[in-house]
Amino acid sequence: MSQVERYKPYKGAAAGWGALVAVTRSWLGSKKALTNIRAMLKTNQNGGFDCPGCAWGESPENGMVKFCENGAKAVNWEATGRLVNPAFFAKHSVSALAAQTDYWLEYQGRLTHPMRYDAATDKYVETSWEEAYALIARHLNALESPHQAEFYTSGRASNEAAFLYQLFVRAFGTNNFPDCSNMCHEASGVSMKETLGVGKGTVVFHDLEHADAIFVIGQNPGTNHPRMLEPLREAVERGAQVICINPLKERGLERFQHPQHPLEMLGNGSKPTSSAYLRPALGGDMALFRGMAKFLLQWERDAQASGEPAVFDHAFIQEHTTGMDAYLAEVDATPWPHIIEQSGLSLADIEMAAAMYRKAERVIMCWAMGLTQHKHSVPTIQEVINVQLLRGNVGRPGAGLSPVRGHSNVQGDRTMGIDEKPSKALLDAIEQRFKFTVPREVGHNAVQAIGAMERGEAKVFIALGGNFAQATPDTPRTHEALRKCDLTVHIATKLNRSHLVTGRDALILPCLGRTEIDVQVNGPQGITVEDTFSMVHISHGQLKPRSPALRSEPAIIAGMAAATLGNHPVDWHWLVGDYSRIRDLIADTLPGFANFNERLQHPGGFHLGNSAAQRVWKTASGKAQFTASILPDDLVNAGVRKMNVTPDLILQTMRSHDQYNTTLYGLDDRYRGVYGMRDVVFVSEADIRKLGMQPGDKVDLVALWDDNRERRVKGFTLIAYDIPEGQAAAYYPETNPLVPLESYGDRTYTPTSKFIAIKVEKASASSLISAAVA
Ligand SMILES: Nc1nc2c(c(=O)[nH]1)N[C@H]1C(S)=C(S)[C@@H](COP(=O)(O)OP(=O)(O)OC[C@H]3O[C@@H](n4cnc5c(=O)[nH]c(N)nc54)[C@H](O)[C@@H]3O)O[C@H]1N2
Ligand SMILES: Nc1nc2c(c(=O)[nH]1)N[C@H]1C(S)=C(S)[C@@H](COP(=O)(O)OP(=O)(O)OC[C@H]3O[C@@H](n4cnc5c(=O)[nH]c(N)nc54)[C@H](O)[C@@H]3O)O[C@H]1N2
Ligand SMILES: [Mo]
């Protein structure tokens, strides 16, 4: 098939038949179809395991089996019958493995034994758990300072694992906790904590059932949170408005077919999920919300003049907020032409959004990476909060703010203290409970950790899950930084590229997955997770572990900690004999977890509580805070502007339908009509013509950044796509070489993965050859 034929626009609804076909294919492909179907039926049910996919939550009362196509893929990917065992590593050297694609690497199956890198043969060789722990302890204890080690966490780690890990690392002496959240919802946490006093969403599942309008901003739930489509569709059915703000017309947001409603599928009918769809410029959301505020302010003044009912919720503003006057002055001062130009929307679009917002009694704002991965993400989210505060849309049923989290327990990991900027309260609580002097220095986030390794300041890198080498920006540079380490350690379920970017010493420590039975001294154990609505619940693995040599994440952390620190500050091995002991320590240390073990008995788990939802504001002023930010002059970085090269396009990097972050389940992106390829770039037909090129042409993408480093990805196929002019979209992680390490969000250090100024060049001869080989 030619590249162009592999692009076929998708005409069906999201989910529905297409999803079932895809699920069946992935079941059959996993070699363990029947067991996995049985396991799947227990996902997200009391007594089963929590879906290892996304962090979306369920209606707590709803006992129905809930799963989605992409949750099914996540289960199957973990529960595969294929094994990456010592014989596999004996056959393939690390350099040979490094020549394979990311897809091939993970496809090989589950890691089965602890492996140590042998530089002499360039191969991983089997090692024992005890030798592995001893090697880690030797390296850690040889450092001049504990701050020379980096401890990464990916968001699948359970609460129990995360709590033990942070205790180990702080007892060792550092707050160097780079984590996936740094690259994800960091901006949501920063902006909400400052203005509302909580770093988490203020809504629970039921709020979605009572909202009159739900804004879905910079988020593609059809792929990344498929179970969210159902409440959205229900909302539209009962007459609520769903307003989507996304430059791409994402299929899941347009129409949705429920895979568990047989009648609807037989008729091949589908119901709309959205009532309005705005397509802003990349990074244009702050301008849009500023424009909405301008309309609201104008209507409020009109209402005051004519004696009509007020537009603002004055009682709420008076009692609960501060800073509105300064904010409204900034709204007045922001000129319309600037708003229109930066938002990429017409005045009429902005007026419509503002009118829909005003008309709705109760409004929920949901968002994900389209808002968080920009330089100005914090002021952008704070602008959304400003608009919500104007009409009292925080802290009442059916209204609020909902940053929709990514990894299934990324929110819980933060709650457990995986935080490079821990609060004083957290550190005091740990110190009091465990009686050791905790490190008070702010630690490294992901970007800073890469910098520290690059400069040779950090020498040990340990990762609790994830794929740091691929998920982070500036890929060649990040790989170089990792290679400078004395030791790299990966606790993982599947082989990925990070394991092949080794320090002088390197370990792969294979762990149990969420789906597997976890037996410790006191019998089978459950672990707990927190979903995006702050519901905490227990998860019990159902499947036989893929290898008898696997250990659980808590057991591995205990092993590393005991080897490094002995019994300080706790008896690590005793603790992991029964995870309820870890939960007792959590209950002693962290607010909201009193009687943790008892409360888990409650079907569906328990809610952690959210002060902002109670209209209690744990902010500096004790009130909800309006923020008077200035709309950025120009979204293109000042350094890039000085280069005197005009970018051809602004690129966003995103997920296909067949991937879980750096894990590729397949090479299709069904809803966007792409099959069997990933090195593609979506550009409007008009822009392709302007570039003097044709759809299907091979191009190199070159990032613009004023540091004289070349950042280029080669041999991408141009796809003519329904995308606003001036924009391009391509998949992550392939495009991470284009994201400069220094291009990150103000105050968040989140790489600007949704805003990269690029030039598009005809593919160089060498990239055409490599593309032909691939
Ligand atoms: N199946 C599956 N599920 C997942 C994941 C996965 O990879 N696969 N990843 C998990 C994780 S860790 C996360 S964080 C979430 C990610 O969930 P999403 O945030 O939905 O993921 P992205 O693919 O990055 O999609 C970003 C969306 O924002 C839009 N967008 C980009 N830039 C802008 C902008 O400037 N403004 C606006 N308004 N929109 C913009 C894009 O067009 C795209 O639709 O999903 C989680 N769930
Ligand atoms: N350009 C660009 N870059 C991005 C993003 C983007 O949108 N654009 N998104 C960012 C976001 S939102 C995120 S969250 C990060 C994700 O960054 P990470 O969380 O680091 O990456 P993942 O791809 O989710 O990690 C996958 C690996 O986790 C391991 N794994 C899977 N399950 C388990 C388990 O149960 N236990 C353990 N120990 N290991 C397990 C497997 O070995 C698998 O290979 O990437 C970020 N990077
Ligand atoms: Mo994420």
Side-chain angles (χ1 to χ4, degrees), residues 477-531:
R477 216 174 138 188
T478 296
H479 286 199
E480 223 26 68
L482 282 164
R483 285 185 208 288
K484 283 192 179 168
C485 288
D486 292 338
L487 172 71
T488 51
V489 180
H490 292 278
I491 300 164
T493 50
K494 288 258 189 133
L495 183 64
N496 67 42
R497 192 159 306 279
S498 295
H499 311 159
L500 309 174
V501 184
T502 56
R504 269 178 291 282
D505 275 324
L507 290 166
I508 302 175
L509 304 180
C511 66
L512 294 173
R514 182 84 57 83
T515 56
E516 288 165 321
I517 301 166
D518 177 356
V519 179
Q520 301 296 334
V521 176
N522 276 6
Q525 303 295 316
I527 52 96
T528 60
V529 293
E530 174 184 340
D531 70 25

Side-chain angles (χ1 to χ4, degrees), residues 574-638:
W574 177 82
L575 262 185
V576 293
D578 190 329
Y579 296 172
S580 64
R581 294 170 185 161
I582 307 174
R583 287 189 287 272
D584 281 340
L585 292 182
I586 295 172
D588 284 356
T589 318
L590 300 176
F593 286 91
N595 306 319
F596 192 0
N597 282 306
E598 287 94 281
R599 281 153 84 203
L600 284 177
Q601 309 296 325
H602 186 268
F606 62 93
H607 188 246
L608 263 186
N610 182 297
S611 49
Q614 309 301 314
R615 295 194 163 174
V616 172
W617 316 103
K618 297 185 174 170
T619 56
S621 60
K623 302 260 183 185
Q625 187 80 42
F626 281 96
T627 318
S629 314
I630 298 170
L631 198 62
D633 268 353
D634 194 327
L635 296 181
V636 175
N637 181 277

Side-chain angles (χ1 to χ4, degrees), residues 122 146 153 161 173-174 207 217 241 326 330 349 382-383 413 495 531 547-548 566 649-650 652 685 706 720:
D122 188 37
T153 312
T174 184
D207 287 317
I217 316 163
Q241 308 288 332
E330 201 50 57
D349 282 340
Q382 289 183 336
E383 196 65 20
D413 291 344
L495 183 64
D531 70 25
S547 145
L649 300 166
I650 303 298
Q652 65 145 316
E685 214 161 340
D706 61 335

Side-chain angles (χ1 to χ4, degrees), residues 191 286 375-384 629-630 746:
S191 47
M286 180 177 175
K375 184 173 192 307
H376 63 310
S377 284
V378 169
T380 298
I381 296 166
Q382 289 183 336
E383 196 65 20
V384 175
S629 314
I630 298 170
D746 293 335

Side-chain angles (χ1 to χ4, degrees), residues 444-467:
H444 292 156
N445 54 39
V447 162
Q448 291 165 328
I450 296 166
M453 290 186 279
E454 186 174 55
R455 292 188 302 274
E457 290 162 20
K459 298 171 195 294
V460 174
F461 175 85
I462 298 182
L464 177 57
N467 187 359

Side-chain angles (χ1 to χ4, degrees), residues 735-753:
T735 42
N736 257 336
L738 297 176
V739 187
L741 189 60
E742 287 76 15
S743 179
Y744 49 71
D746 293 335
R747 300 170 58 203
T748 63
Y749 283 84
T750 301
T752 59
S753 307

